[in-house]
Amino acid sequence: MRPLKDLIAVHIADDDVGDYLVREAGWYAVDDSDKPVLGPFASLAECERAIRERLGPLR
């Protein structure tokens, strides 16, 4: 299994949907290669919670 990459929360606007290859605007967890891996979320708080759950307690 590949090690988990660092994830950050990013808001992707309607104008940037095509650049990130996602279907809708919203908050996404993006890895260190700018690839959205979780989302979309309605709020930053929801996105950050999903990141914490994905990375686990050691991060």
Side-chain angles (χ1 to χ4, degrees):
M1 184 169 143
R2 285 184 7 207
L4 290 173
K5 296 182 177 186
D6 288 331
L7 299 175
I8 60 168
V10 173
H11 185 265
I12 298 176
D14 286 321
D15 293 342
D16 298 324
V17 166
D19 294 338
Y20 284 91
L21 303 175
V22 296
R23 295 183 182 189
E24 63 184 275
W27 287 95
Y28 288 83
V30 177
D31 68 16
D32 53 3
S33 62
D34 290 335
K35 178 183 173 192
V37 294
L38 299 171
F41 299 98
S43 70
L44 173 59
E46 288 178 23
C47 187
E48 289 177 334
R49 188 174 321 118
I51 289 171
R52 283 192 305 273
E53 290 172 3
R54 174 74 177 259
L55 295 178
L58 297 177
R59 290 219 151 188

mmCIF file with all atom_site columns, all heavy atoms in Angstrom, residues 10-24:
data_model
loop_
_atom_site.group_PDB
_atom_site.id
_atom_site.type_symbol
_atom_site.label_atom_id
_atom_site.label_alt_id
_atom_site.label_comp_id
_atom_site.label_asym_id
_atom_site.label_entity_id
_atom_site.label_seq_id
_atom_site.pdbx_PDB_ins_code
_atom_site.Cartn_x
_atom_site.Cartn_y
_atom_site.Cartn_z
_atom_site.occupancy
_atom_site.B_iso_or_equiv
_atom_site.pdbx_formal_charge
_atom_site.auth_seq_id
_atom_site.auth_comp_id
_atom_site.auth_asym_id
_atom_site.auth_atom_id
_atom_site.pdbx_PDB_model_num
ATOM 1   N N   . VAL A 1 10 ? -8.714  22.913 -0.086  1.00 0.00 ? 10 VAL A N   1
ATOM 2   C CA  . VAL A 1 10 ? -8.695  23.930 -1.127  1.00 0.00 ? 10 VAL A CA  1
ATOM 3   C C   . VAL A 1 10 ? -10.122 24.154 -1.604  1.00 0.00 ? 10 VAL A C   1
ATOM 4   O O   . VAL A 1 10 ? -10.865 23.191 -1.813  1.00 0.00 ? 10 VAL A O   1
ATOM 5   C CB  . VAL A 1 10 ? -7.820  23.466 -2.322  1.00 0.00 ? 10 VAL A CB  1
ATOM 6   C CG1 . VAL A 1 10 ? -7.917  24.428 -3.478  1.00 0.00 ? 10 VAL A CG1 1
ATOM 7   C CG2 . VAL A 1 10 ? -6.381  23.280 -1.897  1.00 0.00 ? 10 VAL A CG2 1
ATOM 8   N N   . HIS A 1 11 ? -10.488 25.422 -1.769  1.00 0.00 ? 11 HIS A N   1
ATOM 9   C CA  . HIS A 1 11 ? -11.796 25.712 -2.359  1.00 0.00 ? 11 HIS A CA  1
ATOM 10  C C   . HIS A 1 11 ? -11.611 25.836 -3.860  1.00 0.00 ? 11 HIS A C   1
ATOM 11  O O   . HIS A 1 11 ? -10.828 26.647 -4.345  1.00 0.00 ? 11 HIS A O   1
ATOM 12  C CB  . HIS A 1 11 ? -12.397 27.003 -1.801  1.00 0.00 ? 11 HIS A CB  1
ATOM 13  C CG  . HIS A 1 11 ? -13.775 27.220 -2.319  1.00 0.00 ? 11 HIS A CG  1
ATOM 14  N ND1 . HIS A 1 11 ? -14.047 28.002 -3.410  1.00 0.00 ? 11 HIS A ND1 1
ATOM 15  C CD2 . HIS A 1 11 ? -14.965 26.703 -1.911  1.00 0.00 ? 11 HIS A CD2 1
ATOM 16  C CE1 . HIS A 1 11 ? -15.350 27.977 -3.650  1.00 0.00 ? 11 HIS A CE1 1
ATOM 17  N NE2 . HIS A 1 11 ? -15.918 27.208 -2.752  1.00 0.00 ? 11 HIS A NE2 1
ATOM 18  N N   . ILE A 1 12 ? -12.340 25.034 -4.607  1.00 0.00 ? 12 ILE A N   1
ATOM 19  C CA  . ILE A 1 12 ? -12.299 25.071 -6.064  1.00 0.00 ? 12 ILE A CA  1
ATOM 20  C C   . ILE A 1 12 ? -13.559 25.784 -6.535  1.00 0.00 ? 12 ILE A C   1
ATOM 21  O O   . ILE A 1 12 ? -14.675 25.333 -6.289  1.00 0.00 ? 12 ILE A O   1
ATOM 22  C CB  . ILE A 1 12 ? -12.203 23.653 -6.659  1.00 0.00 ? 12 ILE A CB  1
ATOM 23  C CG1 . ILE A 1 12 ? -10.897 22.993 -6.184  1.00 0.00 ? 12 ILE A CG1 1
ATOM 24  C CG2 . ILE A 1 12 ? -12.272 23.708 -8.176  1.00 0.00 ? 12 ILE A CG2 1
ATOM 25  C CD1 . ILE A 1 12 ? -10.722 21.560 -6.624  1.00 0.00 ? 12 ILE A CD1 1
ATOM 26  N N   . ALA A 1 13 ? -13.357 26.928 -7.189  1.00 0.00 ? 13 ALA A N   1
ATOM 27  C CA  . ALA A 1 13 ? -14.467 27.746 -7.673  1.00 0.00 ? 13 ALA A CA  1
ATOM 28  C C   . ALA A 1 13 ? -15.000 27.201 -8.996  1.00 0.00 ? 13 ALA A C   1
ATOM 29  O O   . ALA A 1 13 ? -14.341 26.404 -9.668  1.00 0.00 ? 13 ALA A O   1
ATOM 30  C CB  . ALA A 1 13 ? -13.980 29.183 -7.866  1.00 0.00 ? 13 ALA A CB  1
ATOM 31  N N   . ASP A 1 14 ? -16.186 27.660 -9.371  1.00 0.00 ? 14 ASP A N   1
ATOM 32  C CA  . ASP A 1 14 ? -16.797 27.226 -10.627 1.00 0.00 ? 14 ASP A CA  1
ATOM 33  C C   . ASP A 1 14 ? -15.849 27.407 -11.815 1.00 0.00 ? 14 ASP A C   1
ATOM 34  O O   . ASP A 1 14 ? -15.785 26.557 -12.694 1.00 0.00 ? 14 ASP A O   1
ATOM 35  C CB  . ASP A 1 14 ? -18.089 27.999 -10.902 1.00 0.00 ? 14 ASP A CB  1
ATOM 36  C CG  . ASP A 1 14 ? -19.234 27.562 -10.006 1.00 0.00 ? 14 ASP A CG  1
ATOM 37  O OD1 . ASP A 1 14 ? -19.355 26.351 -9.739  1.00 0.00 ? 14 ASP A OD1 1
ATOM 38  O OD2 . ASP A 1 14 ? -20.009 28.437 -9.583  1.00 0.00 ? 14 ASP A OD2 1
ATOM 39  N N   . ASP A 1 15 ? -15.122 28.511 -11.843 1.00 0.00 ? 15 ASP A N   1
ATOM 40  C CA  . ASP A 1 15 ? -14.215 28.797 -12.952 1.00 0.00 ? 15 ASP A CA  1
ATOM 41  C C   . ASP A 1 15 ? -13.031 27.837 -13.024 1.00 0.00 ? 15 ASP A C   1
ATOM 42  O O   . ASP A 1 15 ? -12.390 27.721 -14.069 1.00 0.00 ? 15 ASP A O   1
ATOM 43  C CB  . ASP A 1 15 ? -13.671 30.224 -12.846 1.00 0.00 ? 15 ASP A CB  1
ATOM 44  C CG  . ASP A 1 15 ? -14.751 31.276 -13.049 1.00 0.00 ? 15 ASP A CG  1
ATOM 45  O OD1 . ASP A 1 15 ? -15.825 30.936 -13.590 1.00 0.00 ? 15 ASP A OD1 1
ATOM 46  O OD2 . ASP A 1 15 ? -14.516 32.438 -12.667 1.00 0.00 ? 15 ASP A OD2 1
ATOM 47  N N   . ASP A 1 16 ? -12.710 27.158 -11.917 1.00 0.00 ? 16 ASP A N   1
ATOM 48  C CA  . ASP A 1 16 ? -11.533 26.286 -11.861 1.00 0.00 ? 16 ASP A CA  1
ATOM 49  C C   . ASP A 1 16 ? -11.867 24.794 -11.915 1.00 0.00 ? 16 ASP A C   1
ATOM 50  O O   . ASP A 1 16 ? -10.969 23.964 -11.864 1.00 0.00 ? 16 ASP A O   1
ATOM 51  C CB  . ASP A 1 16 ? -10.740 26.568 -10.583 1.00 0.00 ? 16 ASP A CB  1
ATOM 52  C CG  . ASP A 1 16 ? -10.218 27.990 -10.552 1.00 0.00 ? 16 ASP A CG  1
ATOM 53  O OD1 . ASP A 1 16 ? -9.854  28.506 -11.624 1.00 0.00 ? 16 ASP A OD1 1
ATOM 54  O OD2 . ASP A 1 16 ? -10.186 28.592 -9.460  1.00 0.00 ? 16 ASP A OD2 1
ATOM 55  N N   . VAL A 1 17 ? -13.143 24.457 -12.019 1.00 0.00 ? 17 VAL A N   1
ATOM 56  C CA  . VAL A 1 17 ? -13.573 23.054 -12.016 1.00 0.00 ? 17 VAL A CA  1
ATOM 57  C C   . VAL A 1 17 ? -12.836 22.251 -13.089 1.00 0.00 ? 17 VAL A C   1
ATOM 58  O O   . VAL A 1 17 ? -12.330 21.166 -12.831 1.00 0.00 ? 17 VAL A O   1
ATOM 59  C CB  . VAL A 1 17 ? -15.109 22.968 -12.182 1.00 0.00 ? 17 VAL A CB  1
ATOM 60  C CG1 . VAL A 1 17 ? -15.564 21.570 -12.518 1.00 0.00 ? 17 VAL A CG1 1
ATOM 61  C CG2 . VAL A 1 17 ? -15.799 23.456 -10.910 1.00 0.00 ? 17 VAL A CG2 1
ATOM 62  N N   . GLY A 1 18 ? -12.751 22.768 -14.289 1.00 0.00 ? 18 GLY A N   1
ATOM 63  C CA  . GLY A 1 18 ? -12.081 22.064 -15.377 1.00 0.00 ? 18 GLY A CA  1
ATOM 64  C C   . GLY A 1 18 ? -10.594 21.883 -15.149 1.00 0.00 ? 18 GLY A C   1
ATOM 65  O O   . GLY A 1 18 ? -10.010 20.872 -15.548 1.00 0.00 ? 18 GLY A O   1
ATOM 66  N N   . ASP A 1 19 ? -9.951  22.842 -14.487 1.00 0.00 ? 19 ASP A N   1
ATOM 67  C CA  . ASP A 1 19 ? -8.513  22.751 -14.223 1.00 0.00 ? 19 ASP A CA  1
ATOM 68  C C   . ASP A 1 19 ? -8.187  21.604 -13.266 1.00 0.00 ? 19 ASP A C   1
ATOM 69  O O   . ASP A 1 19 ? -7.124  21.001 -13.357 1.00 0.00 ? 19 ASP A O   1
ATOM 70  C CB  . ASP A 1 19 ? -7.990  24.057 -13.626 1.00 0.00 ? 19 ASP A CB  1
ATOM 71  C CG  . ASP A 1 19 ? -8.078  25.222 -14.597 1.00 0.00 ? 19 ASP A CG  1
ATOM 72  O OD1 . ASP A 1 19 ? -8.145  24.973 -15.819 1.00 0.00 ? 19 ASP A OD1 1
ATOM 73  O OD2 . ASP A 1 19 ? -8.092  26.375 -14.136 1.00 0.00 ? 19 ASP A OD2 1
ATOM 74  N N   . TYR A 1 20 ? -9.098  21.324 -12.337 1.00 0.00 ? 20 TYR A N   1
ATOM 75  C CA  . TYR A 1 20 ? -8.869  20.272 -11.343 1.00 0.00 ? 20 TYR A CA  1
ATOM 76  C C   . TYR A 1 20 ? -9.547  18.949 -11.715 1.00 0.00 ? 20 TYR A C   1
ATOM 77  O O   . TYR A 1 20 ? -9.481  17.983 -10.974 1.00 0.00 ? 20 TYR A O   1
ATOM 78  C CB  . TYR A 1 20 ? -9.362  20.720 -9.966  1.00 0.00 ? 20 TYR A CB  1
ATOM 79  C CG  . TYR A 1 20 ? -8.440  21.707 -9.310  1.00 0.00 ? 20 TYR A CG  1
ATOM 80  C CD1 . TYR A 1 20 ? -8.599  23.075 -9.482  1.00 0.00 ? 20 TYR A CD1 1
ATOM 81  C CD2 . TYR A 1 20 ? -7.383  21.270 -8.512  1.00 0.00 ? 20 TYR A CD2 1
ATOM 82  C CE1 . TYR A 1 20 ? -7.750  23.978 -8.878  1.00 0.00 ? 20 TYR A CE1 1
ATOM 83  C CE2 . TYR A 1 20 ? -6.530  22.158 -7.901  1.00 0.00 ? 20 TYR A CE2 1
ATOM 84  C CZ  . TYR A 1 20 ? -6.721  23.517 -8.093  1.00 0.00 ? 20 TYR A CZ  1
ATOM 85  O OH  . TYR A 1 20 ? -5.873  24.406 -7.487  1.00 0.00 ? 20 TYR A OH  1
ATOM 86  N N   . LEU A 1 21 ? -10.256 18.945 -12.853 1.00 0.00 ? 21 LEU A N   1
ATOM 87  C CA  . LEU A 1 21 ? -10.952 17.744 -13.331 1.00 0.00 ? 21 LEU A CA  1
ATOM 88  C C   . LEU A 1 21 ? -11.976 17.216 -12.323 1.00 0.00 ? 21 LEU A C   1
ATOM 89  O O   . LEU A 1 21 ? -12.060 16.026 -12.049 1.00 0.00 ? 21 LEU A O   1
ATOM 90  C CB  . LEU A 1 21 ? -9.955  16.649 -13.709 1.00 0.00 ? 21 LEU A CB  1
ATOM 91  C CG  . LEU A 1 21 ? -8.924  17.035 -14.771 1.00 0.00 ? 21 LEU A CG  1
ATOM 92  C CD1 . LEU A 1 21 ? -7.930  15.907 -14.961 1.00 0.00 ? 21 LEU A CD1 1
ATOM 93  C CD2 . LEU A 1 21 ? -9.592  17.413 -16.084 1.00 0.00 ? 21 LEU A CD2 1
ATOM 94  N N   . VAL A 1 22 ? -12.728 18.147 -11.728 1.00 0.00 ? 22 VAL A N   1
ATOM 95  C CA  . VAL A 1 22 ? -13.827 17.790 -10.831 1.00 0.00 ? 22 VAL A CA  1
ATOM 96  C C   . VAL A 1 22 ? -15.130 18.258 -11.476 1.00 0.00 ? 22 VAL A C   1
ATOM 97  O O   . VAL A 1 22 ? -15.118 19.064 -12.406 1.00 0.00 ? 22 VAL A O   1
ATOM 98  C CB  . VAL A 1 22 ? -13.648 18.393 -9.416  1.00 0.00 ? 22 VAL A CB  1
ATOM 99  C CG1 . VAL A 1 22 ? -12.414 17.824 -8.755  1.00 0.00 ? 22 VAL A CG1 1
ATOM 100 C CG2 . VAL A 1 22 ? -13.594 19.910 -9.456  1.00 0.00 ? 22 VAL A CG2 1
ATOM 101 N N   . ARG A 1 23 ? -16.243 17.760 -10.990 1.00 0.00 ? 23 ARG A N   1
ATOM 102 C CA  . ARG A 1 23 ? -17.539 18.060 -11.608 1.00 0.00 ? 23 ARG A CA  1
ATOM 103 C C   . ARG A 1 23 ? -18.260 19.266 -11.030 1.00 0.00 ? 23 ARG A C   1
ATOM 104 O O   . ARG A 1 23 ? -19.151 19.813 -11.664 1.00 0.00 ? 23 ARG A O   1
ATOM 105 C CB  . ARG A 1 23 ? -18.453 16.847 -11.503 1.00 0.00 ? 23 ARG A CB  1
ATOM 106 C CG  . ARG A 1 23 ? -17.933 15.693 -12.299 1.00 0.00 ? 23 ARG A CG  1
ATOM 107 C CD  . ARG A 1 23 ? -18.872 14.548 -12.246 1.00 0.00 ? 23 ARG A CD  1
ATOM 108 N NE  . ARG A 1 23 ? -18.303 13.434 -12.994 1.00 0.00 ? 23 ARG A NE  1
ATOM 109 C CZ  . ARG A 1 23 ? -18.932 12.344 -13.287 1.00 0.00 ? 23 ARG A CZ  1
ATOM 110 N NH1 . ARG A 1 23 ? -20.168 12.176 -12.878 1.00 0.00 ? 23 ARG A NH1 1
ATOM 111 N NH2 . ARG A 1 23 ? -18.344 11.400 -13.963 1.00 0.00 ? 23 ARG A NH2 1
ATOM 112 N N   . GLU A 1 24 ? -17.902 19.644 -9.799  1.00 0.00 ? 24 GLU A N   1
ATOM 113 C CA  . GLU A 1 24 ? -18.592 20.774 -9.196  1.00 0.00 ? 24 GLU A CA  1
ATOM 114 C C   . GLU A 1 24 ? -17.673 21.534 -8.251  1.00 0.00 ? 24 GLU A C   1
ATOM 115 O O   . GLU A 1 24 ? -16.680 21.000 -7.763  1.00 0.00 ? 24 GLU A O   1
ATOM 116 C CB  . GLU A 1 24 ? -19.842 20.315 -8.459  1.00 0.00 ? 24 GLU A CB  1
ATOM 117 C CG  . GLU A 1 24 ? -19.585 19.378 -7.297  1.00 0.00 ? 24 GLU A CG  1
ATOM 118 C CD  . GLU A 1 24 ? -20.870 18.893 -6.663  1.00 0.00 ? 24 GLU A CD  1
ATOM 119 O OE1 . GLU A 1 24 ? -21.418 19.603 -5.799  1.00 0.00 ? 24 GLU A OE1 1
ATOM 120 O OE2 . GLU A 1 24 ? -21.320 17.795 -7.034  1.00 0.00 ? 24 GLU A OE2 1
#
